Amino acid sequence: LQLQASGGGLVQPGGSLRLSCVASGFTLDRYAVGWFRSEYEAISCISSSIASNVEGTYYADFVKGRFTISRDNTSNTVYLQMNSVKPEDTGVYYCRAKFGRYGCPYEYDYVGQGTQVTVSS
């Protein structure tokens, strides 16, 4: 049972990257999944309310309008599309998952290894 993050790399300012978080051994559809850059810095999260079946997303202020998080249940993957990247987006991005949570998974059941994102000209 694990999460695997990938898709990082070196990109020039203004460019794009797509990060992927793939689950093995369990299905992500009932998990809150988030991309974090440190223990407490949530970049973007996606989760569903079991009670209302409504899916919600969260974005840190500095990525709003540039990043998009999405979930593909057929491939058991959560994506983070990063557009118009800036040098301050540089860092190691980790994905985390918490079963049944609505909101960002600050506490988590699974965490993937980090993927390095470097924005530089």
Side-chain angles (χ1 to χ4, degrees), residues 3 7 28-29 35 58 62 65 68 84 97 107:
L3 290 176
L28 275 177
D29 60 348
W35 289 97
Y58 163 83
F62 72 97
T68 302
S84 303
E107 295 180 349

Side-chain angles (χ1 to χ4, degrees), residues 1-5 21-22 26 28 31-36 38-39 93-98 105-114:
L1 304 178
Q2 63 178 356
L3 290 176
Q4 184 168 3
C21 177
V22 183
F26 66 102
L28 275 177
Y31 283 75
V33 181
W35 289 97
F36 288 73
S38 69
E39 186 68 23
Y93 285 67
Y94 302 86
C95 62
R96 298 179 186 170
K98 177 66 176 177
Y106 289 95
E107 295 180 349
Y108 49 91
D109 298 319
Y110 303 101
V111 58
Q113 87 290 359

Side-chain angles (χ1 to χ4, degrees), residues 8 16-17 20 33 48 98 103 107 112 119:
S16 297
L17 280 176
S20 300
V33 181
S48 299
K98 177 66 176 177
E107 295 180 349
V119 182

Side-chain angles (χ1 to χ4, degrees), residues 26-99:
F26 66 102
T27 55
L28 275 177
D29 60 348
R30 296 189 68 185
Y31 283 75
V33 181
W35 289 97
F36 288 73
R37 206 162 54 171
S38 69
E39 186 68 23
Y40 300 108
E41 185 183 18
I43 302 301
S44 182
C45 308
I46 188 166
S47 60
S48 299
S49 168
I50 296 175
S52 65
N53 202 33
V54 172
E55 189 161 75
T57 56
Y58 163 83
Y59 296 96
D61 286 344
F62 72 97
V63 306
K64 286 180 180 177
R66 300 189 296 121
F67 291 9
T68 302
I69 192 168
S70 60
R71 187 195 300 270
D72 181 354
N73 290 333
T74 60
S75 62
N76 213 22
T77 303
V78 169
Y79 298 101
L80 184 66
Q81 179 66 43
M82 307 170 65
N83 296 331
S84 303
V85 296
K86 303 176 181 180
E88 51 263 44
D89 297 328
T90 294
V92 179
Y93 285 67
Y94 302 86
C95 62
R96 298 179 186 170
K98 177 66 176 177
F99 180 77

